[in-house]
Every structure is written in C-alpha cells, then in structure tokens.
Amino acid sequence: MNKKMEVDLYTKEIRDYFFEYMNEMNINAGRLNKILNRALEFYEDDYEIWYKLTYHFIHYVDDLKKENFDEFINNFELKMNRYFIYPGFWHSYEWARDYNDVYMFVNLNDYKDILYYFNEDLKNDFIERLKSRVSLGDLENKVDDMDFEELMKELAKRDILENLPFNLEYYINWEYVVYKAMSGNFIVEYWFGNTVIVESD
C-alpha cells in the first residue's frame, strides 16, 4: 500500500469514527453543521481536520454541551491549533526521535542531557563501539574503569561526543523522552494505526 492509499484509508476510518461519536453523543444536525462549516473555513486537509475534531471532542466533551458550544465555535481556530498531526509513525517514540530537531526534547550536544535520557541497557554496547571505532588517546586504557558519567564528561570535553562516527540517537531512550514530554506541556497519543497526535499549549 502506497502512502496516499494509506492516508486515504485512515482518513475514512477517522471520519467514520467522528460521525459515530457525534451520533453517540446525540449531537443534532444544526450543531454538527456548524462544526463542519467552521472546519471548512480553516482546513483543506481532510486527514488533519478529522483527527483534530475527533481528538478534541473525545478529550473535551464539554465543548459539545449547549452552554459551551458557542464559545467553542467562536474560538475554533485557537482550539484546533493546539493539535499537531504526524502520520506515518507506528510508535510515539519514533516520532520523538524523528522530530527531536523540531522540539529539542534532547540536546544531543549536551552530555548532561544525553546522560539523562541514555538507555541503560545499551551502555555496554556504546562503550564497546566507542573503543572499536574511535581514537580515544589517553582515555583508551581508562574507559573500562571509568564511571559512565565521568566518561561522557571527558568525551564532551574533548569534542569526541559531537563527532562520533555512529548515531548517538540510537542510544537514547525515546520512550522515556515521550514520557517526560507528556509530564510537561505536551500530550502525545498514538491513534488509528500510524498517527501521532501532539497537543501543546
């Protein structure tokens, strides 16, 4: 299945889900039309708007209540712009890794940040790769006896960390990165097969 077919498939699924949900919530045709007309004013991408609308009303169901509905319609763009849709990710940690340059969850030039998010299970692998692929100079005979934090500090001081011949991202615990992002001002969810939804203030 090519990318367009995949997007079309999930667009149909989320659209159908949206209307089923509106039906379950007993939303009348008048209010439903107001929602859809507002959406058409601001969005051309079917895929994006169905995800945003469905996500919003599942998490903020009170906006569907009669007493809150006009306020929602009047602030439609502001509310929808809190959501960012990223198709093509089977796991939220893949999204965090690929969009780290955008959101700067982990500063890969800061050894303290790297230490904080380093995958504990991969420390030995990192050290072995380091010894086999990098010229460490006077550190070469000390690596095995060094505390990991001390080693990373020395690698940073000597500019080795920024110039590794292998991908440092592989050693980051991206699942933990997502967890920490969600305890800040992000909400990250994985929906409908291959899409990450990010809610941000």
Side-chain angles (χ1 to χ4, degrees):
M1 183 183 298
N2 64 37
K3 181 71 173 176
K4 184 180 184 307
M5 289 175 63
E6 188 175 6
V7 169
D8 288 346
L9 173 63
Y10 288 121
T11 299
K12 182 181 184 308
E13 284 191 19
I14 191 69
R15 184 177 62 233
D16 291 349
Y17 187 88
F18 171 80
F19 284 110
E20 287 172 15
Y21 183 71
M22 292 294 105
N23 188 52
E24 288 175 14
M25 300 303 295
N26 295 314
I27 302 305
N28 63 41
R31 270 190 283 168
L32 183 56
N33 283 334
K34 282 186 179 180
I35 293 168
L36 298 179
N37 287 336
R38 207 75 170 119
L40 289 171
E41 287 180 35
F42 295 106
Y43 296 97
E44 295 180 0
D45 188 337
D46 261 5
Y47 188 80
E48 181 180 11
I49 192 53
W50 294 119
Y51 270 92
K52 287 187 174 186
L53 286 173
T54 307
Y55 178 93
H56 180 81
F57 288 127
I58 285 176
H59 289 81
Y60 301 96
V61 66
D62 283 353
D63 276 350
L64 289 171
K65 293 180 179 178
K66 186 176 181 180
E67 62 269 27
N68 300 324
F69 189 74
D70 285 344
E71 190 272 339
F72 164 76
I73 289 295
N74 291 335
N75 293 283
F76 182 88
E77 187 178 18
L78 183 65
K79 288 175 179 282
M80 292 297 104
N81 284 346
R82 293 163 55 192
Y83 310 124
F84 300 88
I85 313 301
Y86 299 96
F89 293 97
W90 293 105
H91 303 283
S92 55
Y93 65 81
E94 294 174 345
W95 162 81
R97 179 195 62 211
D98 287 3
Y99 278 85
N100 187 57
D101 288 346
V102 175
Y103 290 100
M104 284 299 293
F105 297 123
V106 185
N107 184 348
L108 294 172
N109 294 316
D110 183 343
Y111 85 91
K112 292 180 181 178
D113 233 22
I114 295 167
L115 272 173
Y116 188 78
Y117 291 107
F118 206 94
N119 190 329
E120 293 287 327
D121 296 334
L122 296 176
K123 281 185 176 179
N124 289 338
D125 181 90
F126 174 81
I127 291 170
E128 290 305 314
R129 187 175 289 191
L130 185 70
K131 291 192 296 184
S132 66
R133 299 192 57 186
V134 178
S135 176
L136 297 171
D138 62 327
L139 284 178
E140 195 162 342
N141 296 321
K142 303 176 184 177
V143 170
D144 290 329
D145 299 319
M146 293 177 77
D147 173 79
F148 193 72
E149 182 174 353
E150 181 187 2
L151 171 62
M152 296 298 277
K153 186 176 181 179
E154 285 298 322
L155 293 176
K157 189 187 297 184
R158 297 160 192 243
D159 294 327
I160 294 174
L161 206 53
E162 292 184 20
N163 297 289
L164 291 172
F166 52 86
N167 194 346
L168 191 55
E169 292 176 354
Y170 171 75
Y171 294 96
I172 299 298
N173 184 342
W174 293 105
E175 290 183 358
Y176 186 58
V177 171
V178 171
Y179 167 77
K180 292 299 289 183
M182 289 179 65
S183 37
N185 65 336
F186 280 84
I187 297 174
V188 182
E189 290 201 13
Y190 174 64
W191 269 26
F192 282 86
N194 75 339
T195 299
V196 168
I197 298 177
V198 177
E199 178 182 348
S200 177
D201 293 336

